[in-house]
């Protein structure tokens, strides 16, 4: 708990400085999310590495303002679930601060560091190379943009599905700060503070921040009622903005994210699973709603820890004809999980992982001539990870996996806008990428010497050019139509979970997507209404698919990665903002996705006994893609009412997510069919395992805030909130181990109904 004390000390020091020197406090007013009267305010985004309004950007982008996060009491990136059309964000229960993100039906739900994320999360211009560490605290956020569709010409590495672009606030150069304390259901407690200090007036500004969140968890132990799934999260650091003149600036940020958590998982096993007969009755044949919140105390102590320090330096030099930008970043992480996967010790793993990444981006931007602007640059990314994992099955002697992976990526890119005629622009560009990856695995099984091996260091490289081309037409100031084609790319690699010489040495190739989009952006009634529409079609090729299978003679389930399928994805999106009357703002969105696999045929072993199996071919083309709900919808309303010395803000939001699958795994009902089929038959899989399907979600949130100022120059905010008012329960993520037979299943549960209060002050 050492880091908890550090965070509390920093928070108290910053709070003391705020109240001890009120004479220095200057009344600050954040940019309002809406004007008290008149139309909607312009929202400026940097979705294309240029500052332009959302309505002038010919791409599908949703901007989330800090005030929206504040009104919904959002804590992490997971609270953006359903806030943008065709966007899904869930937490991964088998990784520290890890997120599963899907955009427009493209996702890769895995916490292993040998895989590249399908959706890029960029923090202050830096690509985060793994899904762990993406659940960033949302208190100190300047802006959030969600770009839908492949982003091949900008934003660090190629991203095949989209980008979540997060920018933290910059040092202001004036003495000021903001602080918040909160308390909610399940003993959720938060302390957060940001302090801005002018070190050298107009030359050097500093910002210090410290955040603390803790919770007892919302799982409940059967019999004792003890809460499980608790966490303790810390995030602290400092930023320094150096501006020696008008032409140069350097923003240096040091930060550290620390998490201690109880990695409990809910039960999802069914009768017929290999482990079912040895599990307590409470763990078998439960429902996917209330039952996943009820757990049996594991037989061994579980531990979850995560520590990730990092440093980022962004430098900008303005030479009039060109602006030069350098973004240098280094981040490392150390996470350990001692975890029972909802098996009461029948499958217990102790996993220790170290990860390091370094990236360097150099950009030049400017205008070649009137009507033609560009961004061009080069990018370098280097990462290394190491995993030590000891795994015990049925309390046997633990096996040992020792894997090291290396990754390097080099890229050059250009992106341009050219106004070829009045009201018509052509935009485009491309990125050339060269990726090289290495992996080496050693595996020891004390119960089966024949399964032990020490693999070679295997190496493979890939290169790809990913172009983009678009055109937009603005017949008047209130309307823009656009169309685009872009190609997305995700690097190949090696399977970090491979526990046989074949599985660990076999590389999988890159996957690509050709994405076509047409859209409309419009404004009406003197900017009291904005309406944006988009239609898209994606040709998704060589999909990297993970299949978990049982291998005779090996005690552990095997994970195989291959380029197993193609898919066609099409959909529609709409989002709007409206101000039907003064002080009332309404925002909403709806997304529709229709996705279908093609040519998804794999060979899998089907166990006929403890150490024997037969090989059968399965056609998965008819199953649903994972994390791809057909419908996502949201609507949010905020009303501001003057009351006494301040304003009363009423906020309510509703989000709907239709059902979706969370893993590709055949329905166990096919097991007898596979055993009886001839070797030459192709067995059609009509659906994934039913327990892997999330039910439709109806999420209702509400808050009431009173914002007021006092004569001492301090501004206060008192908020009462409720998230998931309808207490809509179910799985957040779900997984079954192996197939034919399934060994067991487990799940993480989504947050139930939570009440809370917040007290904030800024100056």
């Amino acid at each position: 708990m050492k880091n908890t004390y550090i965070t509390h000390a920093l928070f108290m020091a910053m709070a003391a400085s705020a109240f001890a020197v009120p004479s220095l406090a200057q009344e600050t007013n954040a940019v309002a999310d809406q004007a008290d009267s008149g139309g909607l305010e312009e929202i400026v985004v940097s979705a294309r590495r240029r500052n332009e309004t959302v309505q002038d950007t010919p791409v599908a982008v949703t901007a989330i303002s800090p005030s929206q996060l504040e009104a919904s009491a959002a804590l992490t990136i997971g609270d953006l679930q359903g806030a943008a059309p065709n966007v899904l964000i869930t937490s991964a229960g088998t990784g520290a601060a890890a997120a599963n993100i899907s955009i427009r039906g493209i996702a890769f739900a895995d916490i292993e560091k040998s895989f590249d994320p399908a959706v890029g999360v960029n923090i202050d211009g830096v690509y985060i190379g793994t899904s762990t560490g993406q659940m960033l605290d949302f208190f100190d956020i300047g802006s959030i943009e969600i770009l839908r569709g492949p982003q091949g010409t900008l934003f660090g590495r190629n991203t095949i599905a989209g980008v979540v672009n997060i920018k933290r606030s910059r040092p202001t150069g004036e003495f000021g700060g903001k602080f918040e304390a909160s308390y909610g259901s399940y003993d959720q407690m938060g302390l957060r503070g940001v302090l801005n200090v002018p070190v050298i007036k107009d030359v050097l500004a500093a910002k210090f921040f410290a955040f603390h969140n803790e919770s007892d968890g919302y799982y409940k132990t059967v019999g004792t009622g003890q809460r499980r799934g608790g966490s303790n999260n810390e995030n602290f650091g400092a930023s320094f903005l150096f501006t020696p003149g008008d032409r140069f600036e350097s923003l240096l940020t040091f930060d550290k994210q620390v998490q201690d958590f109880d990695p409990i998982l809910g039960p999802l096993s069914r009768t017929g699973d290999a482990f079912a007969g040895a599990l307590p009755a409470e763990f078998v044949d439960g429902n996917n709603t209330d039952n996943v919140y009820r757990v049996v105390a594991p037989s061994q102590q579980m531990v979850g820890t995560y520590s990730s320090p990092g440093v980022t330096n962004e430098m900008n030099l303005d030479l009039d004809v060109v602006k030069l930008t350098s973004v240098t970043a280094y981040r490392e992480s150390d996470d350990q999980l001692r975890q029972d996967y909802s098996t009461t010790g029948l499958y217990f793993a102790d996993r220790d992982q170290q990860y390091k990444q370094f990236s360097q981006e150099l950009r030049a931007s400017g205008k070649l001539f009137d009507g033609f602007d560009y961004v061009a640059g080069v990018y370098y990314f280097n990462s290394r990870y190491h995993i030590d994992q000891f795994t015990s099955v049925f309390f046997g002697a633990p096996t040992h996996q020792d894997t090291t992976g290396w990754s390097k990526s080099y890229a050059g890119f250009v992106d341009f806008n050219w106004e070829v005629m009045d009201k018509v622009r052509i935009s485009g560009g491309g990125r050339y990428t060269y990726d090289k990856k290495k992996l080496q695995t050693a595996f020891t099984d004390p119960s089966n010497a024949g399964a032990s091996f020490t693999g070679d260091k295997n190496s493979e490289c890939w290169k790809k050019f990913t172009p983009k081309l678009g055109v937009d037409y603005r017949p008047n100031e209130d309307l823009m139509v656009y169309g685009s084609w872009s190609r997305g790319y995700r690097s190949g690699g090696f399977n970090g979970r491979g526990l046989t010489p074949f599985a660990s040495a076999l590389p999988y190739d890159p996957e690509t997507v050709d994405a076509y989009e047409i859209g409309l952006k419009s404004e009406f009634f003197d900017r009291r209404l904005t309406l944006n529409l988009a239609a898209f079609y994606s040709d998704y090729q060589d999909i990297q698919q993970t299949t978990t299978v049982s291998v005779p003679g090996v005690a552990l389930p095997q994970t195989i990665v291959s380029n197993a399928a193609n898919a066609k994805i099409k959909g529609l999106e709409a989002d709007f903002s409206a101000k039907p009357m003064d002080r009332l703002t309404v925002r909403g969105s709806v997304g529709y996705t229709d996705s279908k696999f093609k040519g998804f045929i794999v060979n899998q072993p089907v166990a006929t006994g403890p150490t024997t199996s037969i090989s059968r071919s399965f056609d998965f083309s008819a199953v649903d893609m994972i994390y791809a709900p057909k419908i996502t919808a949201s609507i949010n309303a905020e009303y501001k009412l003057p009351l006494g010395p301040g304003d009363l803000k009423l906020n309510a939001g509703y989000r709907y997510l239709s059902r979706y699958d969370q893993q590709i795994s055949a329905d166990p009902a096919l097991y007898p069919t596979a055993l009886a089929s001839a070797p030459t038959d192709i067995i059609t899989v009509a659906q994934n395992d039913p327990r892997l399907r999330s039910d439709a979600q109806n999420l209702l949130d509400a808050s009431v805030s009173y914002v007021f100022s006092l004569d001492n120059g301090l501004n206060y905010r008192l908020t009462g909130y409720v998230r998931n008012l309808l207490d809509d329960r179910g799985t957040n993520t779900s997984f079954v181990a192996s197939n034919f037979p399934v060994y067991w299943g487990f799940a993480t549960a989504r947050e139930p109904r939570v009440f809370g209060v917040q007290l904030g002050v800024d100056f």
Side-chain angles (χ1 to χ4, degrees):
M1 291 299 202
K2 180 179 180 181
N3 289 301
T4 301
Y5 300 138
I6 293 174
T7 306
H8 288 181
L10 287 172
F11 179 86
M12 295 303 295
M14 289 188 292
S17 68
F19 290 97
V21 285
S23 61
L24 295 177
Q26 300 180 8
E27 184 174 352
T28 59
N29 295 313
V31 177
D33 187 56
Q34 65 186 63
D36 287 342
S37 60
L40 297 159
E41 290 203 6
E42 298 275 8
I43 299 177
V44 177
V45 297
S46 56
R48 299 191 301 158
R49 299 294 195 195
R50 308 163 175 86
N51 290 329
E52 52 192 350
T53 69
V54 169
Q55 299 305 108
D56 287 334
T57 306
V59 296
V61 56
T62 298
I64 310 293
S65 69
S67 63
Q68 287 178 259
L69 300 171
E70 181 181 280
S72 62
L75 297 177
T76 68
I77 191 175
D79 293 308
L80 296 178
Q81 172 90 302
N86 293 322
V87 175
L88 202 64
I89 304 174
T90 63
S91 62
T94 55
N100 295 329
I101 310 177
S102 169
I103 296 181
R104 290 181 172 177
I106 297 179
F108 193 79
D110 207 307
I111 54 90
E112 291 301 319
K113 294 174 172 56
S114 57
F115 304 120
D116 295 334
V119 175
V121 174
N122 283 33
I123 300 175
D124 291 341
V126 178
Y127 167 84
I128 305 300
T130 73
S131 62
T132 53
Q134 292 181 342
M135 288 293 185
L136 187 73
D137 191 294
F138 268 168
F139 183 67
D140 185 33
I141 298 299
S143 65
I144 299 175
E145 302 161 9
I146 302 177
L147 287 78
R148 304 185 295 279
Q151 308 297 320
T153 58
L154 298 171
F155 294 103
R157 298 192 73 180
N158 280 281
T159 59
I160 198 165
V163 165
V164 180
N165 190 34
I166 302 171
K167 288 187 176 181
R168 291 177 287 199
S169 68
R170 292 161 58 96
T172 63
E174 299 180 354
F175 188 84
K178 64 175 183 176
F179 309 94
E180 179 185 274
S182 63
Y183 184 79
S185 307
Y186 308 104
D187 286 330
Q188 293 184 4
M189 186 182 74
L191 295 171
R192 303 180 181 119
V194 176
L195 180 66
N196 279 285
V197 178
V199 181
I200 302 175
K201 184 175 176 58
D202 298 329
V203 176
L204 181 62
K207 181 193 74 172
F208 304 94
F209 57 91
F211 316 139
H212 166 77
N213 287 299
E214 64 180 72
S215 169
D216 285 349
Y218 43 76
Y219 297 90
K220 183 178 287 188
T221 305
V222 174
T224 67
Q226 178 189 6
R227 292 289 178 192
R228 297 300 302 265
S231 64
N232 186 90
N233 305 297
E234 315 287 342
N235 194 322
F236 49 89
S239 294
F240 301 92
L241 180 61
F242 179 54
T243 53
D246 295 336
R247 294 182 177 273
F248 176 78
E249 68 172 23
S250 173
L251 177 61
L252 180 65
T253 300
F254 301 91
D255 70 284
K256 187 173 184 178
Q257 187 177 3
V258 179
Q259 184 181 38
D260 296 298
F261 60 103
D262 177 18
I264 199 75
L265 296 165
L268 211 61
S269 295
R270 298 286 186 268
T271 298
D273 292 354
F275 284 21
L279 293 173
E282 292 88 351
F283 264 35
V284 182
D285 295 330
N287 58 44
N288 274 35
T289 52
D290 295 333
N291 198 70
V292 293
Y293 296 83
R294 301 171 66 246
V295 299
V296 176
S299 60
Q300 303 183 55
Q301 182 182 7
M302 300 207 301
V303 175
T305 63
Y306 176 75
S307 177
S308 179
V311 58
T312 302
N313 185 27
E314 178 182 335
M315 296 184 291
N316 292 287
L317 177 63
D318 191 346
L319 300 176
D320 289 334
V321 295
V322 62
K323 179 181 179 181
L324 302 178
T325 299
S326 168
V327 181
T328 309
Y330 174 80
R331 180 166 295 277
E332 62 182 44
S333 66
D334 189 343
D335 57 276
Q336 182 181 21
L337 269 79
R338 294 177 57 195
Q339 191 168 29
D340 172 277
Y341 294 78
S342 193
T343 65
T344 63
L346 301 181
Y347 185 94
F348 192 88
D350 187 343
R351 186 169 74 240
D352 188 6
Q353 294 187 94
Q354 294 84 39
Y355 173 81
K356 299 178 180 179
Q357 74 166 61
F358 171 81
S359 62
Q360 174 65 59
E361 184 169 8
L362 299 173
R363 298 195 305 267
S365 60
K367 290 186 176 181
L368 286 184
F369 51 83
D370 189 36
F372 188 100
D373 64 83
Y374 70 92
V375 178
V378 292
Y379 178 78
Y380 171 72
F381 178 88
N382 187 337
S383 71
R384 178 187 183 275
Y385 81 95
H386 178 256
I387 176 172
D388 259 317
Q389 178 166 322
F390 293 87
T391 307
S392 175
V393 181
F394 275 83
F395 307 103
T399 62
H400 178 218
Q401 176 193 355
D402 186 312
T403 296
T404 304
W406 299 263
S407 176
K408 287 186 178 181
S409 181
Y410 307 84
F413 59 90
V414 63
D415 186 271
F416 69 88
N417 286 323
W418 183 14
E419 189 172 3
V420 293
M421 62 181 69
D422 186 34
K423 302 179 181 179
V424 178
R425 289 186 304 178
I426 293 177
S427 59
R431 173 184 290 258
Y432 179 82
T433 303
Y434 175 85
D435 289 315
K436 184 174 184 178
K437 291 189 177 181
K438 300 178 182 179
L439 186 131
Q440 184 174 32
T441 293
F443 177 71
T444 304
D445 186 349
S447 301
N448 183 2
S452 302
F453 71 95
T454 299
D456 297 328
K457 182 187 288 188
N458 298 288
S459 177
E460 188 62 81
C461 58
W462 303 269
K463 51 189 176 182
K464 190 71 174 178
F465 176 69
T466 50
K468 178 179 181 179
L469 184 64
V471 60
D472 62 84
Y473 169 60
R474 183 178 287 278
N476 56 60
E477 293 183 354
D478 298 327
L479 179 65
M480 179 178 70
V481 293
Y482 68 90
S484 68
W485 163 74
S486 60
R487 178 165 293 160
Y489 157 85
R490 188 156 69 110
S491 172
F494 292 92
N495 177 15
R497 283 205 187 95
L499 299 184
T500 62
F502 176 78
S504 62
L506 181 68
Y508 54 87
D509 288 327
E511 59 182 24
T512 61
V513 63
D514 283 292
Y516 305 85
E517 179 179 325
I518 56 173
L520 175 148
K521 297 194 173 185
S522 57
E523 302 174 354
F524 303 94
F525 312 120
D526 294 327
R527 282 197 52 79
R528 283 187 173 267
L529 172 66
T530 64
L531 175 64
N532 299 331
L533 306 173
F536 65 89
Y537 173 79
S538 300
D539 185 5
Y540 193 14
Q541 300 288 324
D542 299 319
I543 300 173
Q544 298 165 5
Q545 182 59 50
T546 301
T547 305
T548 306
V549 299
S550 56
V551 177
V554 179
L556 304 176
Q558 287 290 284
T559 300
I560 306 298
V561 180
S562 62
N563 300 89
N566 301 325
K568 307 294 184 183
I569 309 172
K570 54 188 176 182
L572 301 170
E573 297 170 343
D575 62 80
F576 74 91
S577 297
K579 195 172 181 183
M581 55 186 294
D582 292 347
R583 305 189 182 279
L584 174 64
T585 301
V586 182
R587 300 180 180 87
S589 69
V590 62
Y592 170 78
T593 299
D594 180 28
S595 58
K596 186 176 180 59
F597 282 119
K598 181 180 179 182
F600 192 173
I601 299 176
V602 297
N603 295 317
Q604 290 185 215
V606 178
T608 57
T611 59
T612 60
S613 67
I614 57 177
S615 180
R616 291 291 181 265
S617 295
F618 296 88
D619 186 350
F620 284 84
S621 300
V623 306
D624 289 344
M625 298 181 69
I626 62 172
Y627 296 98
K630 282 190 175 295
I631 298 175
T632 61
S634 68
I635 188 167
N636 177 276
E638 180 180 277
Y639 184 73
K640 185 163 65 173
L641 177 69
L643 182 64
D647 292 316
L648 186 68
K649 291 184 178 182
L650 308 176
N651 188 285
Y654 170 73
R655 293 168 289 156
Y656 173 78
L657 304 170
S658 63
R659 66 184 190 181
Y660 57 89
D661 287 0
Q662 299 163 331
Q663 183 190 356
I664 301 295
S665 186
D667 189 340
L670 282 177
Y671 194 19
T673 302
L675 287 172
S677 297
T680 56
D681 291 341
I682 296 179
I683 303 168
T684 299
V685 181
Q687 65 176 16
N688 290 312
D689 191 325
R691 79 188 92 172
L692 300 171
R693 174 165 290 177
S694 169
D695 61 330
Q697 300 177 37
N698 294 276
L699 307 175
L700 181 62
D701 308 313
S703 69
V704 178
S705 298
Y706 187 53
V707 183
F708 61 98
S709 301
L710 297 180
D711 293 338
N712 60 4
L714 300 180
N715 306 309
Y716 295 90
R717 175 179 56 85
L718 180 62
T719 299
Y721 66 87
V722 56
R723 294 195 299 265
N724 193 6
L725 178 62
L726 303 178
D727 200 24
D728 189 323
R729 299 189 174 215
T731 56
N732 197 21
T733 57
S734 56
F735 189 85
V736 293
S738 193
N739 209 192
F740 307 122
V742 170
Y743 290 172
W744 77 93
F746 61 86
T748 62
R750 56 181 176 258
E751 184 184 58
R753 180 169 50 227
V754 171
F755 296 93
V757 293
Q758 295 177 336
L759 175 61
V761 58
D762 69 80
F763 64 100

